[in-house]
Amino acid sequence: CVLYLRNTDHPLLRNRVVIDTESLSRTISEAVDQTLAHSSPSASDPHADSPDPHLVRRIDRNARIYADVVTFGVFGLFCTQFAVMFWLTFVELSWDIMEPISYFVGQATMLASYLYFLRVRRDHSLEGMWRRAHDWRYDVLCRYHGITSSSANMGRIVHGNDRTRPYGRNDPPRSLG
């Protein structure tokens, strides 16, 4: 079925693999038939082990809400930082005092962002943070309900609930022209 020509004298045939497609397809079909004959009826049904689609939708919805809360919470922290810096600069103190403080706050934010990247190995973007929070909460809820996240993911795909991108951006990209 497969012939490996390793030490052939002809330069075009040296280190080549020749496949007899008819015998290879016959061998594969026999292997598939034997596998199907020895499998149980529930194992041949790909949807037999998928969890309840309503439970998977509820877990996904809760994970999406958690990810939204986390990302909006981080946004709230950035807004609070901006408001405090603004208030200290223009109401309480002057720019002469706040300039080095704002520089070091910016550097600390940059270092925290880089530390996040080193720890997680994902980019520090809104979608990256949303995805990490969603995936973490999704795995926790799947373990709590006693299902594996891989079977829950298969259930999401099979039952048409594969909405894992934030804010419903699952549409295919539109052409610019």
Side-chain angles (χ1 to χ4, degrees):
C1 141
V2 176
L3 177 65
Y4 177 58
L5 305 173
R6 183 175 183 166
N7 296 326
T8 307
D9 293 332
H10 197 280
L12 291 176
L13 297 177
R14 191 172 300 132
N15 293 327
R16 301 287 182 196
V17 176
V18 178
I19 300 174
D20 180 17
T21 56
E22 288 184 21
S23 64
L24 184 62
S25 65
R26 195 172 34 246
T27 305
I28 290 174
S29 66
E30 289 172 2
V32 168
D33 290 340
Q34 288 177 358
T35 304
L36 291 176
H38 294 310
S39 65
S40 63
S42 64
S44 64
D45 183 16
H47 309 302
D49 291 337
S50 64
D52 180 26
H54 298 292
L55 177 63
V56 171
R57 263 188 247 122
R58 194 172 75 221
I59 288 173
D60 186 49
R61 186 179 64 240
N62 288 344
R64 290 171 66 82
I65 289 171
Y66 176 81
D68 287 342
V69 167
V70 167
T71 52
F72 281 111
V74 170
F75 176 72
L77 290 175
F78 281 131
C79 289
T80 303
Q81 174 187 343
F82 176 78
V84 167
M85 296 295 280
F86 184 87
W87 179 72
L88 286 174
T89 302
F90 296 108
V91 175
E92 285 294 317
L93 305 171
S94 68
W95 179 245
D96 296 336
I97 297 171
M98 288 304 295
E99 183 179 12
I101 293 173
S102 64
Y103 171 78
F104 286 116
V105 167
Q107 287 293 325
T109 304
M110 190 269 312
L111 288 173
S113 174
Y114 190 69
L115 181 65
Y116 175 85
F117 171 75
L118 289 177
R119 175 83 171 104
V120 178
R121 301 279 191 238
R122 291 187 184 178
D123 62 334
H124 182 70
S125 65
L126 177 63
E127 188 167 351
M129 288 178 59
W130 190 95
R131 167 83 54 215
R132 181 166 166 75
H134 176 272
D135 292 347
W136 178 82
R137 186 64 175 172
Y138 190 82
D139 289 340
V140 166
L141 290 173
C142 284
R143 281 195 307 265
Y144 176 77
H145 289 287
I147 55 177
T148 60
S149 58
S150 62
S151 67
N153 286 336
M154 181 53 70
R156 284 181 10 203
I157 293 168
V158 165
H159 297 293
N161 192 26
D162 189 24
R163 298 179 302 162
T164 56
R165 296 196 65 197
Y167 310 116
R169 291 183 288 174
N170 278 335
D171 298 332
R174 296 180 185 174
S175 65
L176 297 176

